[in-house]
Amino acid sequence: MKPTLLVLAAGMGSRYGGVKQIDSVGLHNECLLDYATFDAKKVGFGNVVYIIRKDIEKDFRERLFDRVARNFDASYVFQTHDALLTPEQIAVSTERTKPWGTIHAVLCARDAIKAPFAVINADDYYGRQAFETLGGYLAGINNDCTEHAMVGYVLGNTMSRSGSVSRGVCTVKNGYLEKIVETLKIYYKTPTSDDIVSLVDDKEVAMTGKEWVSMNLFGFSPKAFEEFDLYWQNFIKNNATSPKAEALLPVAAGDIIEHKKGAIRVFTSSESWFGMTYPEDKAIVKAEIAKKIASGYYPDQLWEK
């Protein structure tokens, strides 16, 4: 069974200042997400499901989806404020303006997932080898498998000079994830320094840059939805009135291990990250994509019209 690529593309882009999911960076107005989808298709994924907001649907179709759908089995679902909420929870969360987070997004796509699936962010570049490795693993498991997977990256290869990044810092033992700690602010100590620190409880903690981190490139069988649903129900029970709290995929993935409901195998990548977090990142992404086109890694134009 060919795996599904599930794309988290409903974010607000508050630090970027716009809808970065569909901002053009290729020679023919391709988005960064075009390249991830192209890589997944090339290495054997069977289809792609995008999770988006309703307010970007028109632009999303015009600037990305329609051309992808002419070349690949593609669909999309909406992450809405009231999805998965009870009437009482909807009533007390009317002032909430941002999405509920990545695990809420994944659960919004549950009905569209019929096979083992990989999850990615829409604004990160992962590299084709990572898709090939994870896709190969997912193609060999069934829908009830409790051994899931992720691709880990070296922290120093995933930093931005434009500002702080959020990463799931991983403890790996014998090739399996033992623990993952979602760390929301990791940054260079000074703009010109290579010293990396994280902000924990308002205190700077030194990091080596060699830590394995999650970039939200996970692979799951549909069995994982059971634990995701339990995490979500507990989260929304405690946070329905919160304007900012987010239900996070790495935390829910960690619960699978903590609750002894399965294991997460860790594959690794030496690929250097680039992505669309800050406005300054766009020029870097365009330059990196241009290099890959020039080297023949990508064709000049990804999709047939």
Side-chain angles (χ1 to χ4, degrees):
M1 184 181 299
K2 290 186 175 182
T4 293
L5 178 66
L6 183 62
V7 182
L8 305 173
M12 300 292 285
S14 54
R15 289 181 293 182
Y16 187 78
V19 188
K20 56 187 176 180
Q21 302 93 312
I22 50 178
D23 206 355
S24 62
V25 295
L27 301 183
H28 298 274
N29 295 319
E30 294 94 346
C31 314
L32 186 58
L33 186 47
D34 277 290
Y35 294 93
T37 306
F38 179 87
D39 284 341
K41 179 180 184 293
K42 189 174 182 68
V43 301
F45 279 75
N47 66 306
V48 59
V49 178
Y50 302 104
I51 307 166
I52 67 169
R53 305 192 314 270
K54 282 186 175 180
D55 63 291
I56 69 168
E57 181 182 14
K58 182 177 182 294
D59 286 341
F60 176 77
R61 290 194 67 103
E62 291 177 352
R63 296 164 66 178
L64 172 76
F65 181 80
D66 287 348
R67 66 170 170 264
V68 172
R70 287 192 291 268
N71 293 271
F72 193 30
D73 182 358
S75 60
Y76 59 88
V77 299
F78 296 116
Q79 181 183 13
T80 62
H81 166 269
D82 56 355
L84 313 180
L85 272 65
T86 65
E88 293 76 16
Q89 291 165 344
I90 293 172
V92 299
S93 63
T94 53
E95 295 184 4
R96 175 87 180 200
T97 58
K98 64 186 299 185
W100 289 103
T102 47
I103 202 64
H104 179 252
V106 170
L107 284 167
C108 285
R110 185 173 188 169
D111 290 344
I113 301 298
K114 309 299 181 185
F117 61 102
V119 183
I120 67 168
N121 296 330
D123 55 345
D124 288 317
Y125 182 84
Y126 293 96
R128 190 176 301 157
Q129 184 181 11
F131 286 109
E132 185 172 18
T133 300
L134 190 56
Y137 176 77
L138 293 173
I141 67 174
N142 61 42
N143 284 1
D144 291 320
C145 183
T146 58
E147 187 164 302
H148 311 287
M150 63 164 283
V151 177
Y153 291 75
V154 180
L155 174 60
N157 290 342
T158 73
M159 296 295 294
S160 172
R161 289 287 179 184
S162 302
S164 66
V165 296
S166 298
R167 301 286 182 256
V169 181
C170 302
T171 302
V172 181
K173 185 177 181 180
N174 298 325
Y176 286 85
L177 184 66
E178 193 171 63
K179 185 179 181 182
I180 184 167
V181 178
E182 186 68 4
T183 307
L184 300 180
K185 288 191 175 182
I186 304 176
Y187 51 93
Y188 289 109
K189 194 170 178 66
T190 67
T192 57
S193 169
D194 289 328
D195 295 331
I196 300 172
V197 296
S198 60
L199 194 64
V200 180
D201 296 329
D202 295 325
K203 294 182 180 179
E204 287 188 342
V205 178
M207 305 189 75
T208 66
K210 297 179 180 179
E211 294 86 353
W212 289 111
V213 296
S214 160
M215 298 288 296
N216 266 2
L217 180 50
F218 287 99
F220 301 104
S221 79
K223 183 73 173 176
F225 282 117
E226 296 175 10
E227 194 66 24
F228 293 166
D229 187 59
L230 290 174
Y231 167 77
W232 164 253
Q233 294 300 334
N234 184 62
F235 169 87
I236 196 63
K237 178 181 177 181
N238 295 313
N239 294 283
T241 60
S242 171
K244 293 185 178 180
E246 292 189 46
L248 299 174
L249 177 59
V251 179
D255 279 359
I256 292 175
I257 302 166
E258 185 177 343
H259 298 163
K260 302 186 186 305
K261 295 297 184 179
I264 298 179
R265 187 172 174 179
V266 179
F267 299 102
T268 58
S269 173
S270 59
E271 188 85 32
S272 291
W273 167 89
F274 53 88
M276 306 278 280
T277 305
Y278 298 94
E280 298 86 352
D281 294 333
K282 183 175 180 177
I284 297 171
V285 171
K286 291 184 73 171
E288 292 295 330
I289 292 295
K291 288 179 187 176
K292 291 183 180 294
I293 293 171
S295 72
Y297 190 86
Y298 291 117
D300 181 89
Q301 183 166 317
L302 281 184
W303 309 108
E304 293 184 12
K305 294 182 179 180

